[in-house]
Amino acid sequence: MSNTKQLISVTEILRSGWKEYKKDWKKLLEISIRLVFAGLIELAFALIASQLPSNLSSIILSIGTGIAYVIILQTIIVLIDYLLQKEHGSASATPRWKLGINLFWPYLWVLLLVLFATIGGLILFVLPGLWLSILF
């Protein structure tokens, strides 16, 4: 008694993906515009910084990058929440921008913890490797 399932074809994957895109393109465009807006802010700050002395331009670039990263992180939170709503079958799934603002600091904290864990793992991988290469 075989209980294997047939994989769906590539054309079926593309067809269903296009159908989902046509259904949700306005909401996805709203989310995408935020990402483009963050890039435009970064570009504007870079153009302003190119006209200034180097010490002031680095400060201006840092401010522009910080603003763009805040917008991008908030947009990522909203996108993840929207996709989770869609995955759970919510017919009225909408991007919830207020939730993205409320979860910004917890999300940033989790990102920092992941960064520290990754750097710690890298150090634990590299240092014993260096020690063993010197030893051998």
Side-chain angles (χ1 to χ4, degrees):
M1 191 187 293
S2 176
N3 195 10
T4 60
K5 292 184 179 181
Q6 206 63 20
L7 291 176
I8 60 174
S9 67
V10 173
T11 55
E12 184 61 33
I13 291 173
L14 292 175
R15 188 177 297 120
S16 66
W18 182 251
K19 184 175 125 184
E20 288 293 320
Y21 173 75
K22 285 193 317 188
K23 185 171 54 173
D24 294 337
W25 73 272
K26 289 180 184 177
K27 294 173 186 170
L28 294 173
L29 180 65
E30 179 184 349
I31 293 171
S32 298
I33 286 173
R34 291 266 180 145
L35 296 173
V36 171
F37 181 67
L40 290 175
I41 286 176
E42 181 69 26
L43 178 65
F45 274 84
L47 290 175
I48 292 169
S50 68
Q51 305 298 322
L52 300 172
S54 66
N55 58 352
L56 188 57
S57 69
S58 62
I59 294 171
I60 296 294
L61 276 175
S62 298
I63 292 170
T65 302
I67 292 170
Y69 281 171
V70 166
I71 293 170
I72 289 170
L73 284 177
Q74 195 258 352
T75 305
I76 288 171
I77 294 168
V78 170
L79 180 61
I80 290 170
D81 175 61
Y82 176 70
L83 292 175
L84 286 173
Q85 288 179 43
K86 294 291 292 177
E87 184 69 26
H88 291 297
S90 175
S92 62
T94 57
R96 297 187 292 186
W97 297 105
K98 181 89 171 152
L99 179 73
I101 294 168
N102 293 339
L103 292 179
F104 177 77
W105 292 111
Y107 184 72
L108 188 62
W109 175 245
V110 169
L111 283 178
L112 286 174
L113 289 176
V114 168
L115 175 71
F116 291 144
T118 304
I119 290 173
L122 179 67
I123 289 171
L124 289 175
F125 178 70
V126 171
L127 291 180
L130 289 174
W131 179 70
L132 288 175
S133 66
I134 291 171
L135 183 66
F136 293 132

